[in-house]
Amino acid sequence: MTHELIPYLAVCIFVVAMLYASVGHGGASGYLAIMALFSLHPEALKPTALLLNIVVAGVGAYLYCSARQFSWRVFWPFVITSIPASFLGGTFSLPPEIYRPALGLVLIFAAWRLFVRKDQVDYETKIPANTTAMLVGAVLGFVSGLIGVGGGIFLSPLMILLRWARVREVSGIAALFILVNSISGLLGHMSSLHHVPDYAPLLAGMALIGGAIGALCGSRHLPVATILKAMSLMLVLAGGKMFLL
């Protein structure tokens, strides 16, 4: 990629971070798509996306938790197994043709289920059993480390569809889940850090600003129905990216 395109890439990162953070996501799937379109070196995609994910999920987790849109009781069983699983997943590299189509179908199906359901704005929550949450956390952690995302893109729709937490709480839980798994996944993929471009601080700064704006709106101002529609859109975009790249 030429240096003339860096400002345009930075603006795209800002927009993606703002949109994803509004639903508690870090935006890694969006960053992967954007950076691939700008022809970044393939080996730079995964570590750079995880770095941006950490920045956006970090500010998102802080804002959602400070707004009390978070449940530790629901969160901890997921993360206790996802952290080591994400580290393990980060040590593997698979050909994209193996996992991308399957993941794309799963994400688009989840988006459809979120969009068509009419009873998910106001519902009674059913906290999952610890063993169930630990198993889900392990699977999502491994997958997130493997493909270079934080896992929230999978956890959020699952929690809403199974009514494991309220919508805003789901966003807060997903933000912290993404943060810890992105850190763990990056540590498991440390050897790739020398591929991170030298303009990564600029991208991180734009992601931080966009993420702060998005998370502030999502945690305090956006109606729940709007959050669900935005989440469906993010899932469709992420799923579509799996087929196009």
Side-chain angles (χ1 to χ4, degrees):
M1 187 183 74
T2 63
H3 287 285
E4 290 78 8
L5 293 177
I6 293 176
Y8 299 100
L9 173 60
V11 171
C12 291
I13 293 295
F14 168 83
V15 174
V16 169
M18 182 171 61
L19 292 174
Y20 274 76
S22 68
V23 295
H25 293 174
S29 59
Y31 307 140
L32 288 170
I34 293 297
M35 290 186 295
L37 290 174
F38 275 84
S39 301
L40 264 71
H41 193 285
E43 293 183 354
L45 297 181
K46 184 173 179 179
T48 305
L50 285 172
L51 283 172
L52 298 177
N53 230 29
I54 290 169
V55 171
V56 176
V59 69
Y62 170 76
L63 289 172
Y64 276 98
C65 289
S66 63
R68 299 186 178 182
Q69 305 296 344
F70 180 79
S71 172
W72 177 259
R73 166 66 183 84
V74 177
F75 173 76
W76 76 262
F78 289 103
V79 79
I80 199 171
T81 53
S82 72
I83 292 176
S86 179
F87 180 90
L88 180 63
T91 64
F92 287 88
S93 294
L94 288 178
E97 60 270 16
I98 292 179
Y99 64 85
R100 279 182 173 165
L103 289 177
L105 288 174
V106 169
L107 292 173
I108 292 173
F109 176 76
W112 173 73
R113 290 293 298 157
L114 282 179
F115 191 80
V116 300
R117 284 188 55 168
K118 306 298 184 182
D119 58 346
Q120 53 198 5
V121 174
D122 185 21
Y123 53 77
E124 293 295 326
T125 59
K126 300 177 290 185
I127 297 177
N130 289 343
T131 52
T132 300
M134 289 178 182
L135 178 60
V136 170
V139 173
L140 297 187
F142 182 80
V143 172
S144 68
L146 182 66
I147 66 176
V149 300
I153 198 76
F154 308 114
L155 181 63
S156 292
L158 182 65
M159 293 187 71
I160 293 174
L161 291 172
L162 296 179
R163 302 181 180 183
W164 284 347
R166 297 285 184 180
V167 173
R168 290 190 192 277
E169 283 185 343
V170 166
S171 295
I173 292 168
L176 193 54
F177 184 84
I178 291 167
L179 175 62
V180 297
N181 284 300
S182 295
I183 293 173
S184 181
L186 187 60
L187 290 175
H189 204 64
M190 286 294 288
S191 61
S192 68
L193 283 179
H194 66 276
H195 293 293
V196 174
D198 55 7
Y199 48 83
L202 171 63
L203 302 183
M206 296 297 287
L208 177 63
I209 298 171
I213 295 172
L216 186 63
C217 292
S219 62
R220 292 171 170 82
H221 305 298
L222 290 180
V224 170
T226 301
I227 294 174
L228 289 170
K229 291 178 181 177
M231 192 176 296
S232 297
L233 175 61
M234 296 304 103
L235 291 168
V236 169
L237 293 176
K241 184 269 299 181
M242 294 295 176
F243 290 99
L244 296 175
L245 300 179

